[in-house]
DNA sequence: TTACATTTTTAGACAAGGCTAAAATTTAAT
DNA sequence: ATTAAATTTTAGCCTTGTCTAAAAATGTAA
Protein backbone atom coordinates (compact mmCIF):
# COMPACT_ATOMS: atom_id res chain seq x y z
CA UNK A 1 0.00 0.00 0.00
CA UNK A 2 2.32 2.74 1.24
CA UNK A 3 6.09 2.62 1.40
CA UNK A 4 7.94 2.35 4.70
CA UNK A 5 9.20 5.86 4.19
CA UNK A 6 5.72 7.26 3.62
CA UNK A 7 4.47 5.47 6.71
CA UNK A 8 7.24 6.97 8.82
CA UNK A 9 6.40 10.46 7.64
CA UNK A 10 2.71 9.92 8.35
CA UNK A 11 3.45 8.69 11.83
CA UNK A 12 5.78 11.60 12.60
CA UNK A 13 3.30 14.18 11.35
CA UNK A 14 0.56 12.57 13.41
CA UNK A 15 2.60 12.77 16.58
CA UNK A 16 3.66 16.36 15.93
CA UNK A 17 0.13 17.41 15.00
CA UNK A 18 -1.37 17.05 18.50
CA UNK A 19 -3.23 20.29 19.15
CA UNK A 20 -1.51 22.41 16.49
CA UNK A 21 -3.45 23.05 13.29
CA UNK A 22 -0.39 22.82 11.02
CA UNK A 23 2.92 21.00 11.37
CA UNK A 24 6.04 22.75 10.08
CA UNK A 25 8.49 21.30 7.61
CA UNK A 26 11.37 21.89 10.00
CA UNK A 27 9.68 20.07 12.87
CA UNK A 28 9.12 17.05 10.66
CA UNK A 29 12.74 17.12 9.54
CA UNK A 30 13.81 17.29 13.17
CA UNK A 31 11.54 14.44 14.16
CA UNK A 32 12.85 12.15 11.45
CA UNK A 33 16.54 12.91 11.16
CA UNK A 34 16.26 14.16 7.61
CA UNK A 35 16.70 17.49 5.92
CA UNK A 36 13.93 20.01 5.32
CA UNK A 37 14.33 19.71 1.57
CA UNK A 38 13.63 15.99 1.71
CA UNK A 39 10.53 16.68 3.77
CA UNK A 40 9.20 19.15 1.23
CA UNK A 41 9.50 16.53 -1.50
CA UNK A 42 7.65 13.94 0.56
CA UNK A 43 4.89 16.35 1.59
CA UNK A 44 4.07 16.85 -2.08
CA UNK A 45 3.82 13.10 -2.55
CA UNK A 46 1.61 12.67 0.50
CA UNK A 47 -0.62 15.46 -0.73
CA UNK A 48 -0.86 13.82 -4.17
CA UNK A 49 -2.00 10.62 -2.48
CA UNK A 50 -4.55 12.48 -0.39
CA UNK A 51 -2.81 11.57 2.84
CA UNK A 52 -1.93 15.12 3.82
CA UNK A 53 -2.94 18.67 3.06
CA UNK A 54 0.12 20.72 2.17
CA UNK A 55 0.24 24.50 2.14
CA UNK A 56 3.64 25.71 0.85
CA UNK A 57 5.58 27.82 3.32
CA UNK A 58 2.79 27.34 5.89
CA UNK A 59 2.85 23.70 6.91
CA UNK A 60 0.93 20.49 6.58
CA UNK A 61 -1.76 18.45 8.28
CA UNK A 62 -2.94 14.89 7.74
CA UNK A 63 -6.24 14.27 5.98
CA UNK A 64 -8.73 11.88 7.58
CA UNK A 65 -7.19 9.31 5.31
CA UNK A 66 -3.75 10.04 6.69
CA UNK A 67 -5.03 9.99 10.26
CA UNK A 68 -6.54 6.55 9.75
CA UNK A 69 -3.28 5.33 8.33
CA UNK A 70 -1.33 6.79 11.27
CA UNK A 71 -3.51 5.21 13.95
CA UNK A 72 -3.18 1.81 12.31
CA UNK A 73 0.60 2.10 12.31
CA UNK A 74 0.55 3.18 15.95
CA UNK A 75 -1.78 0.29 16.75
CA UNK A 76 0.70 -2.12 15.21
CA UNK A 77 3.69 -0.52 16.91
CA UNK A 78 2.15 -0.69 20.36
CA UNK A 79 0.73 -4.19 19.99
CA UNK A 80 4.14 -5.47 18.91
CA UNK A 81 5.69 -3.76 21.94
CA UNK A 82 3.25 -5.58 24.21
CA UNK A 83 4.03 -8.84 22.43
CA UNK A 84 7.76 -8.37 22.90
CA UNK A 85 7.41 -7.69 26.62
CA UNK A 86 4.67 -10.17 27.45
CA UNK A 87 5.64 -13.11 25.25
CA UNK A 88 9.33 -12.69 24.45
CA UNK A 89 10.79 -11.38 27.72
CA UNK A 90 11.96 -8.07 26.31
CA UNK A 91 12.23 -5.24 28.84
CA UNK A 92 10.41 -1.97 28.18
CA UNK A 93 13.59 -0.23 27.12
CA UNK A 94 14.40 -2.81 24.43
CA UNK A 95 11.18 -2.89 22.44
CA UNK A 96 11.03 0.36 20.54
CA UNK A 97 13.69 -0.31 17.94
CA UNK A 98 12.24 -3.67 16.93
CA UNK A 99 8.69 -2.31 16.95
CA UNK A 100 9.84 0.38 14.50
CA UNK A 101 10.47 -2.43 12.04
CA UNK A 102 7.50 -4.63 12.87
CA UNK A 103 4.98 -1.79 12.57
CA UNK A 104 5.46 -1.85 8.78
CA UNK A 105 4.48 -5.48 8.23
CA UNK A 106 1.36 -5.58 6.07
CA UNK A 107 -1.24 -8.12 7.10
CA UNK A 108 -4.62 -7.40 8.54
CA UNK A 109 -5.03 -10.91 9.85
CA UNK A 110 -1.63 -10.84 11.53
CA UNK A 111 -2.44 -7.83 13.66
CA UNK A 112 -5.97 -8.92 14.53
CA UNK A 113 -4.70 -12.32 15.66
CA UNK A 114 -1.86 -10.73 17.59
CA UNK A 115 -4.39 -8.53 19.37
CA UNK A 116 -6.35 -11.66 20.27
CA UNK A 117 -3.27 -13.54 21.48
CA UNK A 118 -2.43 -10.63 23.78
CA UNK A 119 -6.05 -10.49 24.97
CA UNK A 120 -6.81 -7.05 23.58
CA UNK A 121 -4.44 -4.95 25.69
CA UNK A 122 -5.41 -1.32 26.27
CA UNK A 123 -1.93 0.06 26.92
CA UNK A 124 1.58 -0.55 25.66
CA UNK A 125 4.60 -1.10 27.96
CA UNK A 126 5.12 2.68 28.23
CA UNK A 127 1.54 3.39 29.24
CA UNK A 128 0.46 4.63 25.80
CA UNK A 129 -3.05 3.66 24.70
CA UNK A 130 -3.48 1.13 21.88
CA UNK A 131 -5.98 2.07 19.13
CA UNK A 132 -8.55 -0.62 18.36
CA UNK A 133 -9.15 -2.00 14.88
CA UNK A 134 -11.28 1.08 14.09
CA UNK A 135 -8.55 3.43 15.21
CA UNK A 136 -10.25 4.56 18.42
CA UNK A 137 -8.38 4.91 21.68
CA UNK A 138 -8.89 6.70 24.94
CA UNK A 139 -6.91 9.80 25.74
CA UNK A 140 -6.71 9.63 29.50
CA UNK A 141 -5.63 12.74 31.34
CA UNK A 142 -2.00 12.50 32.36
CA UNK A 143 -0.01 15.25 34.04
CA UNK A 144 3.74 15.69 34.03
CA UNK A 145 5.21 15.75 37.52
CA UNK A 146 6.67 19.15 36.70
CA UNK A 147 3.14 20.54 36.50
CA UNK A 148 1.87 19.23 39.82
CA UNK A 149 1.35 21.33 42.93
CA UNK A 150 3.58 20.56 45.89
CA UNK A 151 2.06 17.75 47.93
CA UNK A 152 -0.03 16.24 45.12
CA UNK A 153 0.41 12.58 44.32
CA UNK A 154 -0.50 10.12 41.57
CA UNK A 155 0.32 6.91 39.84
CA UNK A 156 2.87 6.69 37.01
CA UNK A 157 0.76 6.22 33.88
CA UNK A 158 3.15 7.06 31.09
CA UNK A 159 6.52 8.39 30.02
CA UNK A 160 7.29 10.96 27.36
CA UNK A 161 10.81 9.94 26.42
CA UNK A 162 11.06 6.22 25.65
CA UNK A 163 14.80 6.08 25.07
CA UNK A 164 16.75 3.19 26.50
CA UNK A 165 18.80 5.52 28.69
CA UNK A 166 15.78 7.13 30.30
CA UNK A 167 13.94 3.87 30.86
CA UNK A 168 17.01 2.28 32.37
CA UNK A 169 17.34 5.28 34.69
CA UNK A 170 13.80 4.56 35.91
CA UNK A 171 14.59 0.87 36.33
CA UNK A 172 17.61 1.76 38.40
CA UNK A 173 15.44 3.78 40.77
CA UNK A 174 12.69 1.16 40.84
CA UNK A 175 10.13 3.38 39.18
CA UNK A 176 7.69 1.66 36.82
CA UNK A 177 4.18 2.06 35.45
CA UNK A 178 1.80 1.94 38.41
CA UNK A 179 4.35 3.23 40.91
CA UNK A 180 2.72 5.70 43.29
CA UNK A 181 4.59 9.00 43.40
CA UNK A 182 4.16 12.12 45.54
CA UNK A 183 5.69 15.51 44.86
CA UNK A 184 7.34 16.65 48.06
CA UNK A 185 9.28 19.71 46.96
CA UNK A 186 9.42 21.82 43.80
CA UNK A 187 12.47 24.07 43.40
CA UNK A 188 11.34 27.25 41.66
CA UNK A 189 14.87 28.15 40.50
CA UNK A 190 15.60 25.20 38.18
CA UNK A 191 12.36 23.23 38.22
CA UNK A 192 14.02 20.23 39.86
CA UNK A 193 12.03 18.45 42.51
CA UNK A 194 11.96 15.92 45.30
CA UNK A 195 9.60 13.01 44.90
CA UNK A 196 8.65 10.08 47.09
CA UNK A 197 7.68 6.54 46.14
CA UNK A 198 6.74 3.62 48.38
CA UNK A 199 10.40 2.68 48.42
CA UNK A 200 12.38 5.89 48.63
CA UNK A 201 12.73 9.61 48.17
CA UNK A 202 14.48 10.86 45.06
CA UNK A 203 15.70 14.19 43.74
CA UNK A 204 15.03 14.58 39.99
CA UNK A 205 15.83 17.27 37.42
CA UNK A 206 13.15 19.23 35.56
CA UNK A 207 13.97 17.22 32.44
CA UNK A 208 12.99 14.04 34.20
CA UNK A 209 9.97 15.61 35.87
CA UNK A 210 8.75 16.66 32.41
CA UNK A 211 8.98 13.08 31.22
CA UNK A 212 7.00 11.37 33.95
CA UNK A 213 3.24 11.46 33.50
CA UNK A 214 0.99 10.73 36.44
CA UNK A 215 -2.65 9.92 36.73
CA UNK A 216 -3.36 12.28 39.59
CA UNK A 217 -5.15 10.84 42.61
CA UNK B 1 23.21 -4.95 7.50
CA UNK B 2 21.95 -6.09 4.09
CA UNK B 3 19.04 -4.63 2.19
CA UNK B 4 15.79 -6.53 1.77
CA UNK B 5 16.56 -6.88 -1.91
CA UNK B 6 20.01 -8.32 -1.26
CA UNK B 7 18.52 -10.77 1.23
CA UNK B 8 15.97 -11.94 -1.31
CA UNK B 9 18.65 -12.57 -3.91
CA UNK B 10 20.77 -14.48 -1.39
CA UNK B 11 17.84 -16.65 -0.41
CA UNK B 12 16.91 -17.39 -4.00
CA UNK B 13 20.47 -18.30 -4.95
CA UNK B 14 20.72 -20.56 -1.91
CA UNK B 15 17.57 -22.45 -2.86
CA UNK B 16 18.63 -22.78 -6.50
CA UNK B 17 22.15 -23.84 -5.55
CA UNK B 18 21.21 -27.24 -4.08
CA UNK B 19 23.57 -29.74 -5.72
CA UNK B 20 24.60 -27.60 -8.71
CA UNK B 21 28.00 -25.95 -8.54
CA UNK B 22 26.88 -22.72 -10.21
CA UNK B 23 23.51 -21.00 -10.46
CA UNK B 24 22.65 -19.27 -13.73
CA UNK B 25 21.59 -15.67 -14.08
CA UNK B 26 18.44 -16.70 -15.89
CA UNK B 27 17.37 -19.11 -13.17
CA UNK B 28 17.73 -16.39 -10.56
CA UNK B 29 15.70 -14.01 -12.69
CA UNK B 30 13.03 -16.68 -13.05
CA UNK B 31 12.99 -17.39 -9.35
CA UNK B 32 12.54 -13.75 -8.41
CA UNK B 33 10.32 -12.24 -11.06
CA UNK B 34 12.98 -9.87 -12.30
CA UNK B 35 14.93 -9.51 -15.51
CA UNK B 36 18.33 -11.06 -16.17
CA UNK B 37 19.93 -7.64 -16.50
CA UNK B 38 18.82 -6.69 -13.00
CA UNK B 39 20.27 -9.94 -11.71
CA UNK B 40 23.64 -9.26 -13.32
CA UNK B 41 23.81 -5.90 -11.56
CA UNK B 42 22.99 -7.43 -8.21
CA UNK B 43 25.45 -10.29 -8.61
CA UNK B 44 28.24 -7.75 -8.96
CA UNK B 45 27.14 -6.07 -5.75
CA UNK B 46 26.94 -9.37 -3.88
CA UNK B 47 30.40 -10.28 -5.14
CA UNK B 48 31.75 -6.90 -3.99
CA UNK B 49 30.37 -7.61 -0.54
CA UNK B 50 31.89 -11.05 -0.49
CA UNK B 51 28.50 -12.73 -0.34
CA UNK B 52 28.77 -14.50 -3.70
CA UNK B 53 31.38 -15.59 -6.18
CA UNK B 54 30.44 -14.35 -9.64
CA UNK B 55 31.92 -15.68 -12.85
CA UNK B 56 30.65 -13.64 -15.83
CA UNK B 57 28.75 -15.69 -18.40
CA UNK B 58 29.16 -18.79 -16.23
CA UNK B 59 27.09 -18.27 -13.13
CA UNK B 60 27.35 -17.61 -9.43
CA UNK B 61 27.60 -19.37 -6.09
CA UNK B 62 27.30 -18.10 -2.55
CA UNK B 63 30.43 -17.72 -0.44
CA UNK B 64 30.43 -19.21 3.06
CA UNK B 65 29.47 -15.73 4.14
CA UNK B 66 26.48 -15.76 1.81
CA UNK B 67 25.49 -19.24 2.92
CA UNK B 68 25.48 -18.17 6.56
CA UNK B 69 23.35 -15.21 5.67
CA UNK B 70 20.93 -17.41 3.71
CA UNK B 71 20.44 -19.96 6.48
CA UNK B 72 19.70 -17.21 8.99
CA UNK B 73 17.02 -15.77 6.71
CA UNK B 74 15.55 -19.24 6.21
CA UNK B 75 15.67 -19.80 9.96
CA UNK B 76 13.69 -16.63 10.50
CA UNK B 77 11.21 -17.41 7.72
CA UNK B 78 10.43 -20.86 9.08
CA UNK B 79 10.28 -19.83 12.73
CA UNK B 80 7.80 -17.10 11.87
CA UNK B 81 5.72 -19.63 9.94
CA UNK B 82 5.57 -21.85 13.00
CA UNK B 83 4.62 -18.88 15.13
CA UNK B 84 1.79 -17.91 12.80
CA UNK B 85 0.35 -21.42 12.81
CA UNK B 86 0.93 -22.32 16.44
CA UNK B 87 0.20 -19.02 18.15
CA UNK B 88 -1.95 -17.01 15.76
CA UNK B 89 -4.25 -19.61 14.22
CA UNK B 90 -3.02 -19.18 10.67
CA UNK B 91 -3.42 -22.22 8.43
CA UNK B 92 -0.41 -23.60 6.59
CA UNK B 93 -1.49 -22.06 3.31
CA UNK B 94 -1.69 -18.54 4.75
CA UNK B 95 1.73 -18.15 6.32
CA UNK B 96 4.18 -17.81 3.46
CA UNK B 97 3.33 -14.31 2.32
CA UNK B 98 3.58 -12.81 5.80
CA UNK B 99 6.76 -14.76 6.57
CA UNK B 100 8.30 -13.24 3.43
CA UNK B 101 8.01 -9.89 5.19
CA UNK B 102 8.87 -10.99 8.71
CA UNK B 103 12.05 -12.79 7.65
CA UNK B 104 13.71 -9.40 7.04
CA UNK B 105 13.24 -8.01 10.55
CA UNK B 106 16.67 -7.44 12.06
CA UNK B 107 17.04 -8.41 15.71
CA UNK B 108 19.05 -11.25 17.06
CA UNK B 109 17.22 -11.23 20.37
CA UNK B 110 13.84 -11.29 18.67
CA UNK B 111 14.54 -14.49 16.81
CA UNK B 112 16.23 -16.25 19.70
CA UNK B 113 13.32 -15.44 21.99
CA UNK B 114 10.82 -16.49 19.35
CA UNK B 115 12.63 -19.82 19.05
CA UNK B 116 12.34 -20.23 22.82
CA UNK B 117 8.65 -19.30 22.88
CA UNK B 118 7.98 -21.95 20.25
CA UNK B 119 10.07 -24.47 22.20
CA UNK B 120 12.77 -24.86 19.57
CA UNK B 121 10.74 -26.43 16.76
CA UNK B 122 12.63 -28.65 14.30
CA UNK B 123 10.25 -28.28 11.34
CA UNK B 124 8.07 -25.58 9.86
CA UNK B 125 4.39 -26.08 8.94
CA UNK B 126 5.39 -27.48 5.53
CA UNK B 127 7.79 -30.04 6.97
CA UNK B 128 10.92 -28.05 6.12
CA UNK B 129 13.71 -28.17 8.69
CA UNK B 130 14.53 -25.07 10.74
CA UNK B 131 18.22 -24.14 10.99
CA UNK B 132 19.45 -23.54 14.54
CA UNK B 133 21.22 -20.36 15.65
CA UNK B 134 24.46 -21.69 14.13
CA UNK B 135 22.76 -22.40 10.80
CA UNK B 136 22.79 -26.18 11.12
CA UNK B 137 19.78 -28.27 10.18
CA UNK B 138 19.17 -31.89 9.34
CA UNK B 139 18.53 -32.87 5.76
CA UNK B 140 16.30 -35.87 6.24
CA UNK B 141 15.78 -38.17 3.27
CA UNK B 142 12.43 -37.46 1.65
CA UNK B 143 11.15 -39.11 -1.52
CA UNK B 144 8.55 -37.73 -3.90
CA UNK B 145 5.61 -40.10 -4.33
CA UNK B 146 6.32 -40.10 -8.06
CA UNK B 147 9.61 -41.85 -7.35
CA UNK B 148 8.25 -44.66 -5.18
CA UNK B 149 7.82 -48.25 -6.29
CA UNK B 150 4.26 -49.54 -6.51
CA UNK B 151 3.19 -50.81 -3.10
CA UNK B 152 5.63 -48.73 -1.03
CA UNK B 153 4.27 -46.53 1.71
CA UNK B 154 5.42 -43.70 3.92
CA UNK B 155 4.45 -40.69 5.96
CA UNK B 156 3.97 -37.24 4.43
CA UNK B 157 7.03 -35.30 5.58
CA UNK B 158 7.09 -32.32 3.27
CA UNK B 159 5.68 -30.54 0.23
CA UNK B 160 7.58 -28.94 -2.62
CA UNK B 161 5.05 -26.37 -3.76
CA UNK B 162 3.79 -24.24 -0.87
CA UNK B 163 1.24 -22.20 -2.81
CA UNK B 164 -2.14 -21.56 -1.29
CA UNK B 165 -3.88 -23.43 -4.10
CA UNK B 166 -1.85 -26.60 -3.64
CA UNK B 167 -2.10 -26.59 0.16
CA UNK B 168 -5.83 -26.04 0.01
CA UNK B 169 -6.11 -28.96 -2.40
CA UNK B 170 -4.42 -31.12 0.22
CA UNK B 171 -6.72 -29.80 2.95
CA UNK B 172 -9.73 -30.66 0.82
CA UNK B 173 -8.55 -34.26 0.57
CA UNK B 174 -7.60 -34.43 4.25
CA UNK B 175 -3.90 -34.89 3.56
CA UNK B 176 -1.53 -33.26 6.03
CA UNK B 177 1.97 -33.68 7.41
CA UNK B 178 2.11 -37.05 9.15
CA UNK B 179 -0.60 -38.62 7.00
CA UNK B 180 0.34 -42.19 6.08
CA UNK B 181 0.22 -42.75 2.33
CA UNK B 182 0.62 -45.89 0.21
CA UNK B 183 1.23 -45.96 -3.52
CA UNK B 184 -1.27 -48.41 -4.99
CA UNK B 185 -0.90 -47.86 -8.72
CA UNK B 186 1.56 -45.97 -10.91
CA UNK B 187 0.43 -45.23 -14.47
CA UNK B 188 3.47 -45.40 -16.73
CA UNK B 189 1.82 -43.37 -19.50
CA UNK B 190 1.33 -40.02 -17.72
CA UNK B 191 2.92 -40.61 -14.32
CA UNK B 192 -0.38 -40.20 -12.50
CA UNK B 193 -1.06 -42.55 -9.63
CA UNK B 194 -3.50 -43.96 -7.17
CA UNK B 195 -2.70 -43.47 -3.51
CA UNK B 196 -4.34 -44.61 -0.32
CA UNK B 197 -4.55 -42.88 3.06
CA UNK B 198 -6.22 -44.03 6.25
CA UNK B 199 -9.33 -42.24 5.10
CA UNK B 200 -9.64 -42.82 1.37
CA UNK B 201 -8.17 -43.70 -1.98
CA UNK B 202 -7.29 -40.87 -4.32
CA UNK B 203 -6.15 -40.50 -7.92
CA UNK B 204 -3.48 -37.79 -8.33
CA UNK B 205 -1.62 -36.33 -11.30
CA UNK B 206 2.15 -36.57 -11.73
CA UNK B 207 2.41 -32.87 -10.85
CA UNK B 208 0.92 -33.55 -7.46
CA UNK B 209 2.92 -36.74 -6.95
CA UNK B 210 6.08 -34.72 -7.59
CA UNK B 211 5.11 -32.29 -4.86
CA UNK B 212 4.42 -34.75 -2.05
CA UNK B 213 7.50 -35.91 -0.16
CA UNK B 214 7.31 -39.01 2.00
CA UNK B 215 9.53 -40.40 4.66
CA UNK B 216 9.48 -43.97 3.41
CA UNK B 217 8.62 -46.69 5.93
C1' DT C 1 33.03 -25.50 -38.75
C1' DT C 2 29.76 -22.43 -39.77
C1' DA C 3 25.21 -20.49 -38.77
C1' DC C 4 21.56 -19.85 -35.72
C1' DA C 5 19.56 -19.70 -31.11
C1' DT C 6 20.00 -18.84 -26.39
C1' DT C 7 22.05 -16.69 -22.53
C1' DT C 8 24.27 -13.00 -20.46
C1' DT C 9 26.10 -8.50 -20.17
C1' DT C 10 26.26 -3.56 -21.24
C1' DA C 11 24.30 0.94 -22.09
C1' DG C 12 21.01 4.16 -21.11
C1' DA C 13 16.79 5.46 -18.72
C1' DC C 14 13.64 5.92 -14.73
C1' DA C 15 11.42 6.20 -9.96
C1' DA C 16 12.02 6.57 -4.97
C1' DG C 17 14.41 8.87 -1.37
C1' DG C 18 17.92 11.33 0.14
C1' DC C 19 21.60 15.37 0.29
C1' DT C 20 23.88 20.18 -0.55
C1' DA C 21 23.81 24.78 -2.03
C1' DA C 22 21.29 28.54 -3.64
C1' DA C 23 16.98 31.13 -4.12
C1' DA C 24 12.57 32.52 -2.34
C1' DT C 25 9.46 33.48 1.30
C1' DT C 26 8.06 34.50 5.87
C1' DT C 27 9.01 36.27 10.51
C1' DA C 28 11.29 39.18 13.77
C1' DA C 29 13.77 43.18 15.04
C1' DT C 30 15.04 47.51 14.54
C1' DA D 1 9.19 50.44 6.67
C1' DT D 2 13.61 48.32 6.25
C1' DT D 3 16.72 45.10 7.31
C1' DA D 4 18.25 40.88 9.23
C1' DA D 5 17.34 36.16 10.57
C1' DA D 6 15.02 32.01 10.12
C1' DT D 7 12.30 28.90 7.42
C1' DT D 8 11.07 26.71 3.31
C1' DT D 9 11.44 25.57 -1.41
C1' DT D 10 13.94 24.75 -5.75
C1' DA D 11 17.65 23.00 -8.54
C1' DG D 12 20.87 19.71 -9.29
C1' DC D 13 23.18 15.59 -7.97
C1' DC D 14 23.61 10.77 -5.89
C1' DT D 15 22.44 5.78 -4.69
C1' DT D 16 19.59 1.67 -5.00
C1' DG D 17 17.05 -1.22 -7.63
C1' DT D 18 14.53 -1.78 -11.62
C1' DC D 19 13.55 -1.91 -16.86
C1' DT D 20 14.27 -2.12 -22.27
C1' DA D 21 17.05 -2.53 -26.20
C1' DA D 22 21.34 -3.56 -28.18
C1' DA D 23 25.74 -5.93 -28.09
C1' DA D 24 28.63 -9.74 -26.74
C1' DA D 25 29.47 -14.40 -25.46
C1' DT D 26 28.22 -19.11 -25.33
C1' DG D 27 25.94 -23.32 -26.96
C1' DT D 28 23.99 -26.30 -30.61
C1' DA D 29 22.97 -28.47 -34.77
C1' DA D 30 23.73 -29.26 -39.37
MN1 LIG E 1 7.81 2.66 20.71
MN1 LIG F 1 5.54 2.52 23.36
MN1 LIG G 1 7.41 -20.14 3.27
MN1 LIG H 1 7.61 -23.19 4.91
Amino acid sequence: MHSVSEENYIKTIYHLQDGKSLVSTNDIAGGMNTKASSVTDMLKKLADKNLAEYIPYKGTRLTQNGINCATQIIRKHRLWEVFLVEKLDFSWDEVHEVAEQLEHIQSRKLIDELDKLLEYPKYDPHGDPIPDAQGNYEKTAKTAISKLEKGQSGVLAGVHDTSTRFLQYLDKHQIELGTQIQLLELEAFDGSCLIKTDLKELHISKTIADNLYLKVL
Side-chain angles (χ1 to χ4, degrees), chain A residues 83-172:
Chain A
F83 170 74
L84 294 171
V85 167
E86 296 295 318
K87 302 294 181 182
L88 297 194
D89 295 327
F90 277 61
S91 54
W92 71 338
D93 60 294
E94 295 176 309
V95 298
H96 187 73
E97 190 191 0
V98 185
E100 285 292 307
Q101 298 179 63
L102 288 164
E103 72 188 3
H104 302 292
I105 303 291
Q106 307 282 359
S107 165
R108 182 58 189 264
K109 173 158 180 148
L110 174 62
I111 206 66
D112 288 347
E113 291 288 341
L114 189 63
D115 201 9
K116 185 170 79 181
L117 174 72
L118 301 171
E119 299 175 85
Y120 309 102
K122 282 259 203 295
Y123 301 97
D124 86 357
H126 313 103
D128 293 313
I130 299 175
D132 66 20
Q134 286 69 51
N136 303 309
Y137 60 94
E138 30 177 311
K139 301 204 172 190
T140 41
K142 295 175 196 167
T143 315
I145 286 184
S146 54
K147 292 191 176 150
L148 292 186
E149 304 288 323
K150 176 172 166 177
Q152 277 191 290
S153 63
V155 162
L156 186 66
V159 293
H160 182 70
D161 184 347
T162 59
S163 70
T164 298
R165 269 183 303 279
F166 179 57
L167 296 175
Q168 284 182 353
Y169 166 88
L170 297 182
D171 286 344
K172 191 169 69 187

Side-chain angles (χ1 to χ4, degrees), chain A residues 140-214:
Chain A
T140 41
K142 295 175 196 167
T143 315
I145 286 184
S146 54
K147 292 191 176 150
L148 292 186
E149 304 288 323
K150 176 172 166 177
Q152 277 191 290
S153 63
V155 162
L156 186 66
V159 293
H160 182 70
D161 184 347
T162 59
S163 70
T164 298
R165 269 183 303 279
F166 179 57
L167 296 175
Q168 284 182 353
Y169 166 88
L170 297 182
D171 286 344
K172 191 169 69 187
H173 294 290
Q174 295 157 293
I175 293 170
E176 56 189 30
L177 291 184
T179 297
Q180 187 162 336
I181 298 177
Q182 183 177 20
L183 178 62
L184 295 182
E185 301 287 348
L186 177 55
E187 176 57 58
F189 174 62
D190 63 357
S192 71
C193 48
L194 181 66
I195 63 175
K196 178 173 166 306
T197 71
D198 288 349
L199 298 164
K200 62 205 272 198
E201 291 187 6
L202 182 64
H203 203 99
I204 62 177
S205 69
K206 172 159 168 47
T207 307
I208 288 168
D210 282 338
N211 276 300
L212 293 172
Y213 294 145
L214 301 189

